[in-house]
Amino acid sequence: MTHPVSVRNAVPKGVVVLFAITAVVITATLALGSTVCATDASASCPNWPGCYVGRLTPVDATQPWVEFIHRVISASVGLFAVASVIAGIVYRRVDRLLVVLPIVALVGALISGVFGMMTIKWGINSVEASFDLLAAIISMGAMWRAFFIAHSPRSPWIWNERTKLGMGAVVFLVIGHFFAVQVAGSGSLTRCMGWAMFVRGAGDGPLAGWVAQQTSSGIGMLLAIAFLVARWGRRTGWDTLCAVLVVIEIVTGVLIAVNGSNHGLGTLHAVPAVLILCLTMTATMRSARG
Ligand code: HEM
């Protein structure tokens, strides 16, 4: 169903670009957050909002800078998301989702920000850490959906085979990420964003919970690869990038499972997992356009 030109171009390019920038900044915040986790940089900036009491910026060391950059970028999420909500209010009559989705993205980022502050100040338990991550993932998904709607307002969501495959991949991957911190040992890489490696990290458990989490992540991985194969014939540059990231994710997973991890390898395993989730979400949204 093609909408009249008036609807298709009802949202100015500037707003479409604003929504895209906001979605990219949120995605970058998740990737940086998973780097903080993979490099054990969590406590390296012991104060909040400045890195140390009486000093805003970190000393010259990698870990405090990783954590501090995550904070600064996450603060900018707030600015872009508020601007997106205001733009959404202005164009709400074109499509109500243009204001609803940026609000969801802003609230998700605020929840993650508060949990982030709590992580520094008091520490958070594994259930809070799971909801921190879920709020961040919902924020990312909502803002990318807002971008696609701003780009083609009132476009229907079409459930075809590829859309169902993509949505299945996203759901199982997110369930896997959500429960990872619950079954991870305190120093285990399992707690950070990453595809299942099917080898128990130090202290991972209980066994049944770990198996269930790895199974959900494993099903998500297979569906994400099947979805990639299904769209390969009409692939875009994003799909090729996703394929490269899947290879990196699997290779680093095998290397960590066989030889153990270090901060570099851990980061090379965490960041692609965030980007694959993002690219699987956006490819599902593209597929839903029919
Ligand atoms: C000032 C605000 C923030 C602070 C102080 C902060 C702090 C942190 C810290 C210390 C970690 C590492 C946790 C660990 O090692 O397990 C982390 C991870 C993370 N943060 Fe933030 N954060 C903030 C805002 C945000 C925002 C706004 C988002 C999302 C929109 C976000 C998303 C994430 C994600 C996805 C992770 C990785 C979790 C994982 O790999 O399991 N953070 N953050």
Side-chain angles (χ1 to χ4, degrees):
M1 170 171 67
T2 53
H3 286 290
V5 174
S6 59
V7 170
R8 272 209 308 279
N9 302 333
V11 179
K13 199 149 186 43
V15 172
V16 178
V17 172
L18 169 65
F19 281 18
I21 293 172
T22 308
V24 167
V25 174
I26 295 173
T27 307
T29 301
L30 271 82
L32 282 164
S34 66
T35 307
V36 173
C37 187
T39 56
D40 291 321
S42 186
S44 56
C45 257
N47 185 49
W48 193 88
C51 196
Y52 314 98
V53 176
R55 179 182 164 139
L56 177 69
T57 55
V59 295
D60 280 338
T62 310
Q63 288 174 308
W65 270 109
V66 169
E67 211 274 291
F68 192 70
I69 292 170
H70 171 58
R71 268 186 217 187
V72 172
I73 303 289
S74 70
S76 68
V77 167
L79 299 175
F80 284 111
V82 168
S84 297
V85 169
I86 295 168
I89 291 169
V90 174
Y91 292 96
R92 66 188 181 282
R93 286 193 180 75
V94 175
D95 194 320
R96 221 156 19 88
L97 289 175
L98 289 173
V99 63
V100 172
L101 291 167
I103 289 174
V104 171
L106 176 61
V107 170
L110 285 175
I111 291 172
S112 269
V114 169
F115 276 132
M117 180 266 290
M118 290 166 61
T119 304
I120 304 299
K121 286 196 161 289
W122 309 294
I124 57 176
N125 63 39
S126 62
V127 175
E128 290 164 331
S130 287
F131 282 101
D132 173 4
L133 182 59
L134 184 63
I137 291 173
I138 290 172
S139 177
M140 177 172 74
M143 204 59 227
W144 279 114
R145 182 68 186 139
F147 162 71
F148 278 90
I149 289 178
H151 190 270
S152 7
R154 295 200 207 142
S155 50
W157 181 277
I158 299 165
W159 282 108
N160 52 40
E161 287 317 305
R162 281 198 313 279
T163 313
K164 291 174 191 159
L165 209 47
M167 189 58 86
V170 169
V171 169
F172 278 97
L173 285 175
V174 171
I175 293 171
H177 292 315
F178 180 84
F179 285 106
V181 71
Q182 311 261 341
V183 300
S186 57
S188 159
L189 199 62
T190 305
R191 84 180 199 288
C192 303
M193 290 221 36
W195 277 12
M197 293 178 277
F198 309 108
V199 172
R200 283 175 88 181
D204 287 2
L207 181 60
W210 179 81
V211 169
Q213 184 271 334
Q214 297 280 295
T215 306
S216 178
S217 182
I219 295 170
M221 291 156 66
L222 291 174
L223 290 173
I225 294 168
F227 181 38
L228 199 51
V229 171
R231 60 187 200 270
W232 199 247
R234 296 194 309 168
R235 66 184 169 279
T236 66
W238 297 115
D239 299 326
T240 308
L241 172 63
C242 191
V244 171
L245 290 166
V246 165
V247 172
I248 295 172
E249 184 67 11
I250 293 173
V251 169
T252 52
V254 171
L255 288 174
I256 292 168
V258 173
N259 306 326
S261 187
N262 58 44
H263 290 166
L265 211 46
T267 303
L268 262 184
H269 189 250
V271 172
V274 173
L275 300 179
I276 293 167
L277 181 62
C278 174
L279 290 167
T280 305
M281 281 177 170
T282 51
T284 305
M285 294 170 193
R286 277 201 307 277
S287 299
R289 289 193 300 204

